[in-house]
Amino acid sequence: MHPGLEWYLSLSAVLFVIGLIGVLTRRNVLVIFMCVEMMLNAVNISFIAFGRAISSATGQVFALFVITVAAAEAAVGLAIVIALARRQDTVDVGRIDTLRE
Amino acid sequence: MPDVSFPPIHYVTVVPHLIVTGLAVVLLLMDAVSRRSRAARVGQIASLVSVIGYGAALVSLLFTYDHRQVTGGGSIRYDYMAIFFLIVMLSTALLTVLVSANFVQLQSMSLLEYLVILSFSVLGMMVVAIAGDLIMVFIGIELTSIAVYVLTGFSRQSRISHEGALKYFLLGSFATGILIYGMAWTFGIAGTINLDAIRTAGASIATGNPSLLLALLLLVVGLGFKIAAVPFHMWTPDAYHGAPTPVTAFMSVGPKAAGFAAMLRVLVNGWTPAADQWVPLVIVLSVITMTFGNIVAVAQNNVKRMLAYSSIAHTGYMLVGLASYQVGASKMDFNGRAIGALLFYTFAYAFTNIGAFSILTWMQARGRGTNIESFRGLATTAPGAAIAMTIFMASLMGVPPLLGFFAKYYIIVAAINANLTWLAVIVALNSAVSAYFYLRVVAVMYFREPDRQIVPQRTSWLGLGLAVSSLGTVLFGVFSGPVFDLARKVLL
Amino acid sequence: MENFLWVIPAAPLAAFIITLLFGKSVLKSQAHWPAIIGAGIAAVCAWLTFFQVRGLNAGEALNNHLFTWMNTGAYSFDTQQFKVAINLRADHLTALMLLVVTSVGLLVIIYSVGYMHGDGGYYRFFAFLPLFVFSMLMLVLSDNYLLLFVFWEAVGLCSYFLVGFWFRRESANKAALKAFWVNRVGDVGFGLGTMLVWTTFGTFTFTDVFGQLEKRAGIGGDITKGTITAICLLLFCGAVGKSAQVPLHVWLPDAMEGPTPVSALIHAATMVTAGIYLVARSWPLFDLSPGARDVVAIVGIATAFLGATIGLVQRDIKRVLAYSTVSQLGYMCFALGVGAYIPAIFHLMTHAMFKGLMFLGSGSVIHGMHDEQDLFKMGGLRKQMPITAYTFLIGALAISGVTGLAGFWSKDEIIVGAYHAGYPVIAILGLVTAALTAFYMFRLYFLAFEGTPRYDQEHVHPHESPATMTVPLVMLAIPSIVIGALVGIPPDKGAIHAFLGKAIRSDLFESHGSVASSTTLTFGVLSTLVAVGGIFLAFAMYMRLSPNPYTLGDRLHWLWTFLWHKWYFDEVYHVLFVKGTLAFAMACWAFDRYVVDGAVNGVATVVGRSSGRLRRVQTGFVANYALAIALGAVLIVGVYLIARGDIFTQLFG
Amino acid sequence: MDHFPLLSVMLYLPTVVALLVLFVPRLAPDTIKYAALFATLATFVLSLIVVFSSQQTASLRWEENYNWLPSVGIRYHLGTDGLSTIFLLLTTLSSVIALVASWTSIRVNIRAYYVTFLILETGMLGVFMTFDLFLFYVFWELVLIPMALIIGVWGSANRVYAAIKFFLFTLAGSLLMLVAIVAMYTEYFNRTGTRTLDLNTLIAIPGGWSHTFQLWTFAAFFISFAIKVPMFPVHTWLPDAHVESPTAGSVILAAVLLKLGGYGMIRFNLALFPYASHKFATPILILSVIAIIYGALVAMVQPDMKKLVAYSSVTHMGFVTLGIFSFNPQGFQGAVITMFSHGLVTGGLFLCVGVLYERAHTRQISAFGGIANRMPTYASVFMVFMLAALGLPGLSGFVGEYLSTLGSFRLANKTYAAITMFVVIFAAVYMMWLYKRVIFGEPREEHHGFADLTRIEASTLLPLVLGILYVGIYPVPLMKLLKPVIGALLAPIVGSGTAAAAADAIP
């Protein structure tokens, strides 16, 4: 028996929420970033599932774009993290709070 | 591979994009061939090239104006909305180059690199402007955002610059996740990512479909982040504050315009049939956004940060234009005027806000901070700058006949047209509150004695930028008719 | 012959302007000439007018239209057009008033040349005097209520200027303010009265107003008695203020702070009688309102009595005269109240003569005594200043109502009139007051001019005043003797009745039938008796000291204190109105600062505070920001669903 | 001749001179002053042309009517009728006087001052000559910033607070007005399919504005105007603004800015919303009467001369609203003449206070006394203003106040007029008491060196004195100017259309 669309979507949603909760609760910049990646990939699952359900390649194409963009983001993001870590010697977002109010 | 065929593209519709792409390539090449020792000189040339490039792209609009069409298999929508947004974005780019050129070099940053990244960001924005499907929207938004993350952290010496960049980046990618989740659901519900097709498919979807609501919510949240709507605005003050001031000028206008472009594309062009569902969301957003922005701005002592909150407030005003969208075929003219008011607002905001930030840049170039106290007695020490700042503040306040006033005026017209008089009153009350903190800057400039002299500094690019933006604020205000006429065709 | 009425007021006005512009720089010590010439021209013209008017029939008058002052225009939707012209009108009543004003005015101006000699504000004085004469002339020449009101205020202003003439003196300033302010209390009523006149009749003009009465105020007319009474009472409010009637009489005695010629002219002879003039002028209205007239009569007799009682104990020579003026004005007032309009005007005229005379006489005394005003520091002055003394004596006899002199005839007519019109109590009180008048007047006379000197004879050397001062005294003494007999015989039918009867045709008084000559005779004898009695008592007390006034004062200490404090009017007013108003004003100001402005600043504070709170939302922690996004999304959906009202069907349906 | 754009010339002349002054480098202070004087004088002369060419009809003179923003139906529409003419004259006259009053008293930032001043004049003139609601709003707001600057830059100690308060107060009101303007624009479009903000077109909307609509828009307009007037209880910006403002600023503020409110009420509230005018008349009348009495009482106990005069403005302007909302020719004429007179009188009073301030550097009443001994001419001039302020007949104040009160007296409810009348006492008390304390009394040692009026001071005061006398003695020309306006304006209010509502207001 093939799992139905609901299963994929549910999986995607669960992953998405896990990622989301991770973003909300983790303090390590890198972990947060990983969680964001997880959310993106959860979305990819949805895309592909939807695409397959309606027999369209668009979902897969979109997923490819998302992966590409995520890679670009990762490159830039890590550069920023490194630059900051060099100056501040921390990757704990709880200590990056000079800018506030 | 039988059915793979590339849909034809009418390249005339992407001439501006090609020009800007060309500009990016030229700048990259310059970076590759130029020597580090002559960086300053090269930077100046690169600025000139950028100005010419963006200028050329703007001028090219004149020639492509009549070739409005949907092309590229529906991926490209070259319509009035596109044209108007392109005008706003390219003007923003132009002004940003003018504002940045001196400052970036004074802060010993690489101007050339800066301009390259800027051109990518502009290109991203331009892609959103002509987006005909969700992929284009997504690509454009991301291209813009990623470039702006870099620009935000561009100041290598500044810790807050990095901090701002990090926060922006983390939250930005978080929001991206939400946005594309919304796009995924849109795709799932409508079975397509093409905006026109979504509109067609959407007509047959029952209102109150929970998945639809979810999709709309995710889209609104994701895009709300990009335009800095409360409560998705939290990155804004920190990122704006942390970024180098010219970058703040740019990002308070450019990506915001791109965000609105995306929002209009997705909601107005795409989810038209679901307007009765997303309009209430937008109304709620607009009210809390403007109110929150204005109230918090009152307590800010740093002008840069104050402008960040003010920028949030202005997002709220702009959202009123979208909130005034009315369901029904007979409302096309009204809707055109409502969305046109939003467009006009982005135009007005581009000139005024970049102007205001360029004053901050001007001050920083002269060794002053952005704290309100730095403005003490500016009217005495630098009357020209004070007058310009007064114009910008007055425009933001909404004093006629300046650009900002007309922007607010059209917004109010739209709201009242849509029977949202109470919303118009809230706009008015918010304007009154906002007058306080804008006025405070003016008051400090004029009413306080100066504490020290200005360090003299040659900043001719910046001077030109100031002149253009202040003149634009006045003249486009008094003669706002043609601009608005173009804007209100947005739905045609 | 209509076009020279304007000359009468114009001459003193020109004098005012000339003196104002050139008095200080050019004229200097000759600054009195424009005033004398101006008043002289006015006097001559007034006489000419008088003779002209005498030839007119009843109800006719001289008219002189100058220009339209106000005109709010005629409209299709509004039938009542507001139009006020500067119109001069001289009928018999006005003509008589013109004579009084110009003649006393001229004499006082001449007198002032001597009196004010060497004063620092010499030119100022001779600028304001003709200004007053001008205003007063305009007041009596006005042909409508609004114009009358205008000059009513103008004479009040002149009074303010002249009472406060010595502006360095605190007391003078206070008196000037008090005079003006108290008058303004009356003007509230007068002002409203003019409005009611206009809204009722659509015009301010006397003849138009009175002309409408017959048709509209009679039976079946659209104007109710209540309206007429309201108009009368409102107008009378003004009269109460200007003519110093109870309860607004308090300003007049204080106004004696002004130079004495001012007291003579403004506060005895002319301005204070404007109220009497106003009521007499409005006789057709008052005729229709017995209720209003009763009020007038009661106020009048109360004033007459009160003024006289206070006059009994005053030490200041001018204050005695001032309270006497109050009292005499009360006579005129109750005369009006009982309907005896003509006797009231008659008394106005004779009073102008003898009271002007006495004030000028007192000025002469003060002048001769080097600014001493205390009666108990005088005595025996008749030897040093005989002309002053004898003329003063004439004045005192006249006011006391000794048979044959001016005051006798006019006062007698009033009392008889009151009795005859059915107010016996008022008539009797009038007689009592007459006795008091005779007493305090001769108390004054004896204390000042007879007996032994009580002043410091080493340093004070009283002397007779110069001719510019004594001549006016003589000039006023003559009419004080003869004018009553000249125009007042026979009582109720004398020349003055014939003359004024053409302007005031009140048949109210006459309607009771011709006064029996026996009544007239009885009251004539009675008033002579009380006058002689009063004089004799004064003689006994202050010349013979039996009964001794000082021990008497001690024995009746409570009464003396009560009178000395002028029935405590000032004290009560001070607490009630001055302090009350100030306290209320302070309260208002506090309200303004703390409540009204406080609310404004409060809003600002609230915004500022909430801004301070809300900004802390921006914690600086990325996780919080992301949480805000997530919660925000939930919140918005929640608000949205609640707003749609179908949250449950949306989620679970 | 009629096609000559007189009004535009008049309107922009000050601004053009201001721009010249601003951009021509190295101007001597005297050159700047004379240039500004030239601009104001020329404007004054032009306004005289307007006055003398005025006609006795309700139609507009010197009309200029062009498309400005055609797609939204906004027009550049200038014109004058009798009402405008009066206020234009007042504005130009006050500007000349205020400018001369600044001649020696403004010593810092001279260039900026005169530029600001001239722009302010343009704004004020604009308000009085536009007949397009949008354009009106533009000028209305244009007045704000220069005035706030004049208070805030050249004012005294607590000037910033006062300037910001002034600005925010006025802005808050006017934004509501903007919403109302837009609402009318939309409503008119929905009803007729035409986009316009032309006043006369809006007035003539077929069928009239609906009643509910009128109530809301009336309120929005009214609040804005009431703040400017200022009416109780939104008056508290006024004392602060006056006290902190330089003399010339106070003069302009009193003479012209307060009039903007009264003018607006007549021009817009009355003309556009006859029904709502009736509905709101009673509360407005009550507030007017409160303002009249309350202002006078508060003025009575002020220790600061300027504050006293400021509160007296509240009183006087109360007569304006009282007269306007009595809806009869008398009240209307009274309101406008009161405004005109108040401009002259209160302007003069502020100048008088300024004269003393220049010499003593204080405005505390208690610091003065016996000034008449040192400055007799000043004392007499001050006397004229004082008397006019307390409403003495023969001077300008009386005409307006009497007519206003008479107007309210014609209402069925006579209480308004009866209470109002009591102000004649209070006005006499606060003005004369002030005068007595400052001018009368023994000469004081510390005022020994006080010179009498200088030539400049005299030249500012004399025209005002003459104006006060003229209006007091011969107000007929003003009344004639107003007559056609009244005819056009009040007829619909009194007329049958609102007969039902009128029944309880007009006897």
Side-chain angles (χ1 to χ4, degrees), chain B residues 3-17:
Chain B
D3 0 358
V4 174
S5 66
F6 290 98
I9 293 181
H10 287 272
Y11 285 97
V12 69
T13 60
V14 289
V15 168
H17 301 74

Side-chain angles (χ1 to χ4, degrees), chain D residues 19-27 111:
Chain D
L19 292 179
L20 285 179
V21 167
L22 185 63
F23 288 115
V24 175
R26 286 188 293 283
L27 284 178
R111 185 195 296 260

Side-chain angles (χ1 to χ4, degrees), chain B residues 174-199:
Chain B
F174 177 64
T176 301
I178 295 173
L179 177 64
I180 54 165
Y181 202 31
M183 289 182 172
W185 277 96
T186 302
F187 172 58
I189 299 166
T192 172
I193 55 167
N194 184 283
L195 296 174
D196 281 332
I198 291 174
R199 191 214 305 255

Side-chain angles (χ1 to χ4, degrees), chain B residues 5 15 30 38 46 57 106 124 139 141 152 243 247 277 301 307 309 332 334 356 372 392 428 436 457:
Chain B
S5 66
V15 168
M30 280 175 72
R38 306 185 62 189
L106 282 172
I139 296 290
I141 286 275
T152 306
V247 176
Q277 311 225 16
N301 288 320
L307 284 174
Y309 280 106
M332 277 311 284
F334 284 124
I372 188 142
F392 299 134
Y436 173 76
Q457 189 68 258

Side-chain angles (χ1 to χ4, degrees), chain C residues 347-525:
Chain C
H347 194 58
L348 185 160
M349 183 173 75
T350 57
H351 176 255
M353 302 302 158
F354 58 68
K355 188 53 70 59
L357 165 64
M358 283 193 285
F359 262 116
L360 293 185
S362 76
S364 178
V365 169
I366 294 165
H367 192 76
M369 290 289 293
H370 303 289
D371 299 331
E372 180 58 71
Q373 304 201 144
D374 189 345
L375 283 171
F376 290 89
K377 292 180 182 161
M378 296 178 185
L381 291 177
R382 181 160 54 92
K383 296 188 186 66
Q384 283 84 7
M385 32 180 79
I387 304 177
T388 308
Y390 287 121
T391 51
F392 198 96
L393 180 60
I394 291 169
L397 286 168
I399 195 176
S400 303
V402 171
T403 317
L405 276 71
F408 169 78
W409 301 103
S410 54
K411 195 188 283 183
D412 204 39
E413 274 193 20
I414 291 174
I415 294 171
V416 173
Y419 176 79
H420 193 69
Y423 296 88
V425 179
I426 288 181
I428 291 165
L429 272 174
L431 278 176
V432 172
T433 307
L436 294 175
T437 308
F439 172 78
Y440 67 70
M441 266 306 154
F442 275 86
R443 167 178 174 268
L444 188 162
Y445 175 77
F446 291 133
L447 283 174
F449 295 103
E450 303 293 341
T452 50
R454 288 177 300 276
Y455 51 86
D456 181 1
Q457 283 170 301
E458 292 290 310
H459 297 95
V460 183
H461 303 288
H463 57 84
E464 183 58 281
S465 301
T468 52
M469 291 169 70
T470 51
V471 168
L473 290 179
V474 176
M475 298 286 287
L476 282 169
I478 296 167
S480 298
I481 300 170
V482 301
I483 194 148
L486 215 56
V487 302
I489 298 178
D492 303 328
K493 291 173 193 63
I496 190 147
H497 284 268
F499 185 75
L500 285 179
K502 290 178 180 170
I504 303 174
R505 278 167 300 120
S506 168
D507 47 11
L508 186 108
F509 183 44
E510 281 81 359
S511 68
H512 298 281
S514 174
V515 181
S517 54
S518 59
T519 318
T520 314
L521 194 63
T522 315
F523 273 97
V525 172

Side-chain angles (χ1 to χ4, degrees), chain B residues 167 170-171 174 208 210 213 217 221 225 231-234 237-238 277 280-281 284-285 292 295-296 298-300 305 309, chain C residues 607-608 610-612 614-615 617-622 624-626 628-630 632-634 636-637 639-641 644 650:
Chain B
K167 286 180 177 173
L170 284 180
L171 293 165
F174 177 64
L213 185 62
L217 176 68
V221 173
F225 175 90
F232 321 119
H233 69 286
M234 306 290 277
D238 294 357
Q277 311 225 16
L281 288 179
V284 175
L285 269 191
F292 181 90
I295 288 184
V296 180
V298 167
Q300 300 301 327
R305 215 170 162 78
Y309 280 106
Chain C
V607 172
S610 47
S611 175
L614 276 181
R615 66 184 287 191
V617 170
Q618 198 76 19
T619 51
F621 300 123
V622 171
N624 293 359
Y625 295 0
I629 294 175
V634 173
I636 284 178
V637 173
V639 169
Y640 168 57
L641 292 180
R644 284 178 62 123
Q650 282 284 316

